Amino acid sequence: MNLWEQRKQARSAQRDGDHRSPYQRDKARIMHCAAFRRLQAKTQVVGVGISDFYRTRLTHSLEAAQIGTGITAQLSQKYPEAANALRLDEHLIESICLAHDIGHPPFGHGGEIALHYMMSDHGGFEGNGQTFRILTKLESYSQNDGMNLARRSLLGIIKYPNFISELSNPNYHPPKSDKVAQVKASMWHPPKALFDCDKEAFDWVVAPLNEQDKQQYMQAKSNGTQHSKTLYKSIDCAIMELADDIAYGIHDLEDAIVMGLVNRDMFNEQVTNKLASLSIPWLSEQAHDIEAQLFHREAYKRKNAIGALVNCFITAIEIVNLGQFDEALLDNSAKLPQSYHDALLIFKAFVFTFVIKKPEIQLLEYKGQQIVMALFEAFASDPARLLPRNTALRWEQAQSEGNALGMRVIADYISGMTDEYANRVYANLFLPKSHRITDR
């Protein structure tokens, strides 16, 4: 077995007749874990519970996984020698895509902002960092190493290979307010990073790299007044990120159209006309026809347009060699040609501007932000009394090693909540007529 297929803990039992690859086993572990199931009740774009039709974090992850396997198959056909040398594996990419969002807290980015604000003096909070923490520590497939996934699966999950303490710009955040209702989300975006307390797990993942590759892999670019951002990721992670972006920019667009959050005039001005000016084969030529299908009263027309757009981006993806690493998994990447990259950015910007930033959606995010901060403040006031018994025991153990680790346990607990469960706990704590006993 090569180093990238190794697990931190050896398999405890060999099962007769089990001929699955390491990545097939990883996919099974992810699909059967509690954190993955909870994605069915976590917000993607529209708040959970508004309708059964709209996408959740779970359906988004399933769509990203389907796109990721399509990208892998396409690259294997276009670049057979490179794909074989890199051992591109559809089960591996599917596993990474399924797991990529499991660390995101309730209420979308509102919940992430809230937890980062409350954890800003205790190591911060970031959804991708929490995903790595769940996979390597919190899930119960092993005593101390979370799901105990193969090393390459974990490398593929790491979108930002450095730590919050290294990437934080101390001048980015304003002084903390005494009134959480006045916390402005735009001033409390976390650095995209891993948590410092998970350094041991990260060091194990990158152990096969030589020191020069490790330093290059962790390199970050300063963005002036913003937090620094890492520059590199593995090819598996690059494929996952492309699948995530396509699912967000194209599939989530369908929800916006069906809900009536966007109209054809908006789309024509902000997307169609811009696509038509890019000179991309098929996409630019068919931009107006795609628009007509997306906003057609017959649903099958919209579905056909969505499928054609996804196919357009998948088939354009290329393997590129960076020429900067000894390790092939880092020295090769998957990218869209610049014109296609620009086109996907147009779709993503449209969803962000006219859906995510829509006041009705921001009101829901703000509400979730307030709920999460209130829950954190309550639990932090008397953890031994208010936390569930198993979580309280974890808090006591962590607190004995340092206050920041104790606070991390509270962040772990709240970030694992679904939107509905967080609402229920909030009601029990703060609404006088609510007396329901929670089930965790």
Side-chain angles (χ1 to χ4, degrees):
M1 180 184 295
N2 70 49
L3 290 173
W4 293 112
E5 292 182 352
Q6 286 183 349
R7 304 179 189 278
K8 194 172 183 184
Q9 299 293 329
R11 292 181 68 198
S12 57
Q14 298 293 330
R15 296 176 179 138
D16 291 341
D18 186 355
H19 301 298
R20 294 174 299 169
S21 73
Y23 308 126
Q24 288 175 302
R25 295 190 184 98
D26 285 354
K27 180 173 70 173
R29 293 182 184 196
I30 291 163
M31 290 185 68
H32 292 292
C33 78
F36 181 71
R37 290 196 301 275
R38 291 184 190 124
L39 294 178
Q40 67 187 307
K42 289 191 177 187
T43 292
Q44 172 61 15
V45 173
V46 184
V48 171
I50 291 178
S51 168
D52 291 338
F53 172 80
Y54 309 125
R55 287 165 169 83
T56 65
R57 288 277 184 187
L58 179 63
T59 56
H60 164 76
S61 297
L62 293 171
E63 287 171 339
Q66 183 264 330
I67 293 170
T69 57
I71 294 171
T72 308
Q74 183 70 20
L75 292 177
S76 296
Q77 186 177 51
K78 287 171 68 174
Y79 305 95
E81 291 184 8
N84 185 57
L86 292 165
R87 296 188 178 185
L88 293 187
D89 187 293
E90 291 186 20
H91 295 293
L92 168 65
I93 300 301
E94 187 176 11
S95 300
I96 294 168
C97 290
L98 289 172
H100 83 280
D101 263 356
I102 63 174
H104 286 273
F107 309 115
H109 290 293
E112 183 179 51
I113 293 292
L115 283 175
H116 180 58
Y117 180 82
M118 302 305 288
M119 287 291 292
S120 59
D121 296 327
H122 310 290
F125 181 89
E126 199 273 328
N128 297 287
Q130 187 69 15
T131 293
F132 183 74
R133 181 169 172 79
I134 289 170
L135 297 177
T136 59
K137 188 175 182 67
L138 299 182
E139 272 292 343
S140 54
Y141 280 81
S142 65
Q143 186 172 359
N144 298 308
D145 297 301
M147 289 193 207
N148 193 32
L149 300 182
R151 181 183 264 120
R152 182 166 173 176
S153 296
L154 293 174
L155 185 76
I157 280 290
I158 301 173
K159 292 174 70 173
Y160 309 105
N162 210 320
F163 302 97
I164 283 184
S165 63
E166 295 293 325
L167 302 183
S168 292
N169 183 338
N171 299 317
Y172 176 72
H173 299 312
K176 295 184 76 171
S177 172
D178 292 334
K179 299 178 180 179
V180 294
Q182 296 182 3
V183 173
K184 293 184 178 180
S186 61
M187 297 181 177
W188 284 95
H189 290 292
K192 301 293 187 181
L194 303 173
F195 305 142
D196 289 68
C197 58
D198 296 322
K199 184 178 184 301
E200 181 183 354
F202 175 77
D203 286 343
W204 180 81
V205 172
V206 300
L209 302 179
N210 61 42
E211 189 60 28
Q212 182 177 344
D213 272 6
K214 180 180 176 182
Q215 294 302 318
Q216 181 82 351
Y217 178 50
M218 297 177 68
Q219 187 176 338
K221 180 180 179 181
S222 175
N223 292 311
T225 59
Q226 304 296 309
H227 298 304
S228 297
K229 189 172 182 179
T230 57
L231 302 174
Y232 302 105
K233 52 183 64 69
S234 72
I235 187 170
D236 303 320
C237 186
I239 293 172
M240 175 268 283
E241 193 165 40
L242 285 166
D244 186 24
D245 285 347
I246 294 170
Y248 169 78
I250 308 301
H251 281 303
D252 288 355
L253 172 65
E254 182 181 15
D255 281 357
I257 293 172
V258 173
M259 291 171 62
L261 290 175
V262 297
N263 60 47
R264 187 168 176 176
D265 288 341
M266 289 178 188
F267 189 87
N268 179 269
E269 179 183 353
Q270 299 295 325
V271 179
T272 303
N273 291 338
K274 294 179 181 179
L275 292 177
S277 69
L278 289 178
S279 301
I280 299 174
W282 181 81
L283 183 58
S284 297
E285 300 158 4
Q286 298 296 318
H288 291 280
D289 185 55
I290 291 167
E291 175 193 307
Q293 290 188 57
L294 286 173
F295 289 89
H296 200 281
R297 66 177 182 273
E298 297 286 354
Y300 78 90
K301 295 270 191 181
R302 186 178 64 250
K303 289 290 187 184
N304 181 64
I306 293 289
L309 285 169
V310 170
N311 179 73
C312 171
F313 287 110
I314 287 178
T315 55
I317 294 170
E318 303 171 337
I319 293 178
V320 295
N321 183 265
L322 304 180
Q324 298 184 46
F325 294 91
D326 291 332
E327 172 54 57
L329 295 179
L330 301 182
D331 203 41
N332 291 276
S333 189
K335 293 186 177 182
L336 281 166
Q338 188 60 49
S339 58
Y340 287 87
H341 172 77
D342 293 342
L344 187 54
L345 283 181
I346 290 171
F347 280 101
K348 289 174 61 183
F350 182 75
V351 172
F352 181 78
T353 302
F354 292 97
V355 182
I356 303 296
K357 285 300 183 181
K358 201 172 182 69
E360 297 91 322
I361 301 297
Q362 286 303 304
L363 283 172
L364 295 175
E365 274 202 12
Y366 177 80
K367 179 182 177 181
Q369 178 181 317
Q370 296 305 307
I371 289 172
V372 168
M373 286 193 287
L375 291 178
F376 193 103
E377 191 172 47
F379 289 128
S381 71
D382 198 346
R385 176 188 181 193
L386 298 176
L387 289 171
R389 179 167 178 77
N390 287 342
T391 307
L393 291 174
R394 282 187 57 229
W395 174 82
E396 290 173 1
Q397 174 61 36
Q399 188 72 10
S400 69
E401 301 174 26
N403 184 56
L405 293 178
M407 293 297 180
R408 180 65 61 193
V409 170
I410 298 175
D412 290 340
Y413 175 56
I414 295 175
S415 70
M417 294 180 176
T418 63
D419 294 19
E420 175 56 30
Y421 185 77
N423 279 324
R424 209 157 67 233
V425 175
Y426 179 89
N428 282 352
L429 279 169
F430 299 110
L431 302 184
K433 292 186 178 180
S434 181
H435 305 292
R436 292 177 294 179
I437 297 176
T438 53
D439 55 0
R440 283 162 62 195

